[in-house]
């Protein structure tokens, strides 16, 4: 059995995808083998025979739009081949199709097919509470028809806040009013789809939870989704919500956006009210959100953000080789390619910055504040936390008050330095130090430490940060079409997602969102 496709097969596959996308029933009929032996199956059952398959197509009203991201061919002989393709619906998630093709007198046709599409079923790893909707939004507004997954740190009237921990949830009162951000989204017409899972007390970047499991990462199966806005991110990536409302203290919007190929924003510190939100470290806590496209990311910003800084802004895009070097080679290479394509110029401003020292200042101050917020509860509930978060709180309990104060003072000085280094520019850097890692505790700890050296810059400076997927890199050979015009190549695995982060001065949130939309439209 060979892996090279026989002549004409890929052209037939492309014709099938075009016909599917345009609901060209006549073309689809031609591309499926005539007769009673043709098969098509999916989660709802098996259709047998060309006539039955054609009748099904005629009543379904078209298939959801999708893209092919992987195609694998196993050639049986010159006239028979098995094709397994990974698909990405525009609405989110990933699917798979397996087709047996046969060449006859009229060309290549499908004799058997099985389709697997992402399902909307309730997944307790993603959702704590799910509704249809859970809370309905206003009848009109900019976000009518959009659904929101709310991170389980925000108050939703009629629900308890669980903060990722069953012991916390059991004692939590039922909220009588919505958190400020939730209230604004509802007033703009968005529906709250449900309450999404979070890492315990949001004190993680991995997205794992010892009590409820790890939300799936549809863009990197078998790898972590990124935390602590993991449930909100997974709900969006799976197509189960349009907007993932979350928080970002040390990277909890930016990291899951990077790991799952999403768009995300960490807002300027204090730009969106934190009323009704369980805190972790108030000096760094910010509200953020995730979407599958830049337009919706900006539309949510129009609802939640204050007015922009005003005036014309023609930012100079910069990229620092010193900051790129903090990421794994594959991530750095793809972000560098994105930066070149965007017209960013290299800067040496960051060469002498000790990011390891900055990350330690961030870690100490965050730990001290986390213990001030939750230390009494942790002491009163021994054994309530999973091992990883419990270890983090144990370390936090050992940060003396004078060390916390010293880190706070140092943070103030670093903030001034960050503002001077960024200036009126937009800095492009990796949103995370690596692609999504596997859920190995040792690997997660190493990746967390490396990523904090990058994410601490926005946290220490109180800066807005917008993440957008950088694909395989505009200069990567895998982005180039093959000889017949397809961006994929048979047998080549789709790359794991990488996010590029755009940083700017405080208050430039709206401008960054507009820039992200522009960059996205050019790709």
């Amino acid at each position: 059995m060979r892996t090279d496709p026989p002549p004409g097969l890929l052209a037939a596959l492309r014709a099938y995808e075009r016909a599917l996308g345009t609901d060209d029933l006549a073309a689809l009929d031609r591309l499926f083998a005539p007769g009673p032996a043709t098969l098509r199956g999916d989660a709802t059952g098996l259709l047998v025979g060309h006539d039955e398959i054609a009748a099904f197509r005629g009543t379904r009203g078209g298939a959801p739009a999708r893209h092919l991201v992987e195609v694998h061919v196993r050639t049986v002989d010159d006239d028979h081949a098995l094709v397994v393709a990974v698909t990405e619906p525009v609405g989110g998630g990933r699917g798979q199709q397996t087709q047996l093709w046969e060449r006859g007198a009229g060309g290549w046709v499908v004799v058997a097919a099985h389709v697997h599409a992402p399902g909307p079923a309730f997944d307790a790893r993603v959702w704590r509470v799910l509704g249809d909707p859970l809370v309905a939004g206003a009848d009109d507004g900019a976000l009518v028809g959009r659904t929101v997954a709310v991170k389980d740190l925000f108050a939703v009237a009629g629900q308890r806040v669980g903060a990722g921990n069953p012991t916390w949830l059991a004692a939590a009162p039922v909220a009588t009013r919505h958190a400020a951000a939730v209230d604004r989204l509802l007033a703009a017409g968005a529906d709250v789809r449900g309450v999404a899972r979070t890492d315990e007390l949001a004190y993680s970047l991995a997205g794992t939870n010892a009590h409820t499991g790890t939300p799936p990462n549809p863009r990197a199966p078998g790898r972590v989704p990124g935390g602590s806005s993991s449930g909100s991110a997974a709900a969006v990536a799976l197509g189960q919500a349009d907007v993932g409302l979350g928080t970002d203290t040390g990277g909890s919007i930016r990291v899951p956006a990077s790991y799952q190929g999403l768009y995300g924003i960490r807002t300027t510190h204090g730009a969106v009210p934190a009323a009704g939100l369980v805190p972790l470290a108030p000096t760094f806590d910010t509200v953020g959100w995730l979407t599958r496209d830049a337009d919706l990311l900006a539309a949510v910003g129009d609802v939640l953000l204050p007015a922009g800084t005003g005036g014309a802004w023609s930012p100079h895009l910069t990229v620092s080789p010193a900051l790129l070097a903090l990421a794994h080679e594959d991530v750095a290479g793809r972000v560098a390619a994105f930066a070149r394509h965007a017209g960013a110029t290299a800067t040496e401003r960051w060469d002498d910055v000790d990011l390891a020292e900055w990350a330690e200042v961030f870690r100490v101050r965050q730990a001290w504040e986390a213990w001030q917020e939750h230390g009494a509860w942790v002491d009163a509930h021994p054994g309530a936390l999973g091992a990883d978060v419990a270890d983090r709180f144990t370390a936090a309990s050992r940060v003396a008050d004078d060390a916390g104060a010293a880190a706070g003072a140092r943070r103030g000085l670093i903030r001034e330095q960050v503002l001077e280094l960024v200036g009126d520019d937009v800095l492009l850097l990796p949103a995370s130090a690596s692609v999504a890692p596997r859920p190995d505790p040792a690997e997660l700890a190493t990746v967390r430490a490396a990523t904090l050296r990058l994410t601490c810059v926005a946290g220490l400076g109180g800066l807005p940060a917008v993440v957008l997927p950088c694909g395989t890199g505009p200069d990567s050979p895998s982005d180039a079409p093959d000889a017949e015009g397809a961006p994929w190549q048979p047998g080549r695995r789709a790359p794991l997602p990488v996010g590029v982060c755009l940083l700017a001065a405080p208050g430039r949130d709206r401008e960054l969102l507009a820039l992200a939309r522009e960059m996205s439209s050019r790709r």
Side-chain angles (χ1 to χ4, degrees):
M1 187 175 291
R2 311 191 315 266
T3 58
D4 57 308
L9 176 65
L10 294 185
L13 177 62
R14 292 189 186 90
Y16 172 81
E17 287 296 314
R18 285 194 300 271
L20 197 67
T22 59
D23 199 27
D24 186 340
L25 298 181
L28 290 170
D29 283 350
R30 288 194 301 271
L31 287 163
F32 263 64
T38 307
L39 303 174
R40 183 201 178 277
D42 61 17
T44 63
L46 182 66
L47 301 174
V48 181
H50 185 277
D51 291 345
E52 190 171 322
I53 296 169
F56 158 75
R57 287 207 193 92
T59 59
R60 69 175 174 177
R66 70 187 189 189
H67 306 292
L68 290 182
V69 293
E70 291 184 27
V71 174
H72 300 267
V73 177
R74 297 296 180 266
T75 298
V76 180
D77 56 40
D78 287 345
D79 296 320
H80 297 86
L82 183 72
V83 174
V84 179
V86 177
T87 60
E88 256 183 17
V90 171
R94 278 204 170 180
Q96 185 173 298
Q97 63 185 26
T98 302
Q99 300 167 326
L100 179 62
W101 289 77
E102 181 180 85
R103 178 161 46 190
W108 286 96
V109 291
V110 177
V111 296
H114 180 266
V115 180
H116 170 75
F122 176 82
D123 188 336
R125 299 170 299 171
V126 177
W127 300 99
R128 184 175 68 77
V129 182
L130 188 63
D132 190 27
L134 186 65
V135 184
D139 291 336
D140 58 14
L143 299 178
V144 166
R146 299 295 192 173
T147 56
V148 182
V150 176
K151 183 176 184 175
D152 196 12
L153 295 180
F154 292 86
V156 176
Q159 303 294 327
R160 292 181 170 89
V161 177
N165 182 274
T167 303
W168 182 287
L169 175 66
V174 174
T176 58
R177 60 188 303 177
H178 302 302
V182 174
D183 199 47
R184 290 185 184 182
L185 292 172
L186 289 167
D191 294 333
V192 170
R193 183 78 174 89
V195 177
R197 298 292 188 185
T198 179
D199 301 15
E200 293 179 274
L201 296 170
Y203 206 176
S204 176
L205 285 179
T208 59
N209 188 301
H211 309 283
T212 59
T214 301
N217 181 343
R219 294 293 303 277
R223 295 171 181 266
V224 300
S228 61
S229 302
S230 52
S232 298
V236 172
L238 289 164
Q240 297 176 7
D242 299 314
V243 180
L245 182 63
T247 61
D248 188 306
T249 302
S252 293
I253 288 288
R254 291 165 285 167
V255 172
S258 182
Y259 286 177
Q260 300 195 50
L262 299 172
Y263 293 79
I265 179 172
R266 166 205 163 87
T267 56
T268 294
H269 190 264
V272 180
L277 174 64
V278 175
L280 176 64
T283 293
F284 307 115
D285 293 344
T286 60
V287 174
W289 55 93
L290 306 112
T291 64
R292 293 186 298 273
D293 64 79
D295 289 341
L296 182 56
L297 194 76
V300 175
D302 289 339
V303 170
L304 293 182
L305 288 167
T309 55
W313 187 51
S314 299
H316 178 216
L317 305 183
T318 64
V319 61
S320 164
L323 296 181
L324 288 177
L326 298 175
H328 290 192
E329 184 177 352
D330 58 337
V331 172
R334 287 161 66 179
V335 173
F338 183 100
R340 286 193 298 272
H341 186 73
T345 58
T347 177
E348 298 177 353
R349 291 185 193 174
W350 297 83
D351 289 6
D352 297 327
V353 173
D354 187 348
L355 266 297
E357 188 259 339
W358 283 19
E360 181 64 9
V361 170
F362 178 91
R363 186 197 67 79
V364 171
R365 182 66 187 186
Q366 180 194 42
W368 183 81
E369 292 189 15
W371 189 253
Q372 304 312 302
E373 294 291 340
H374 302 304
W377 183 89
V378 172
D379 278 343
H381 299 88
L385 294 171
D388 58 336
V389 178
D391 287 346
R392 217 158 282 139
F393 272 106
T394 296
S397 71
R398 296 172 181 153
V399 178
D401 289 347
D402 57 350
R410 178 69 179 124
R411 178 257 172 189
L413 296 175
I414 292 173
R415 182 178 189 275
E416 295 304 315
Q417 189 176 356
V418 169
L419 296 182
E420 180 180 353
L421 288 167
V422 172
D424 289 329
D425 295 343
V426 171
L427 176 67
L428 280 65
L429 72 162
S432 58
S434 72
V435 297
R438 300 188 185 279
D440 173 74
E443 183 179 0
L444 292 179
T446 300
V447 168
R448 174 185 171 85
T451 294
L452 279 174
R453 290 187 295 171
L454 293 165
T455 59
C456 73
V457 175
L460 292 167
L463 308 182
V466 170
V467 175
L468 61 160
C470 65
T472 56
D475 298 335
S476 169
S478 61
D479 268 342
D482 66 17
E484 295 185 277
W488 42 263
Q489 295 183 19
R492 175 174 288 182
R493 296 302 305 271
L496 296 177
V498 166
V500 60
C501 185
L502 314 179
L503 290 185
R508 293 287 191 187
D509 307 61
R510 288 178 180 268
E511 290 88 343
L512 279 184
L513 289 170
L515 179 61
R517 290 181 68 184
E518 178 186 344
M519 288 180 165
S520 179
S521 68
R522 294 200 304 253
R523 295 165 57 206

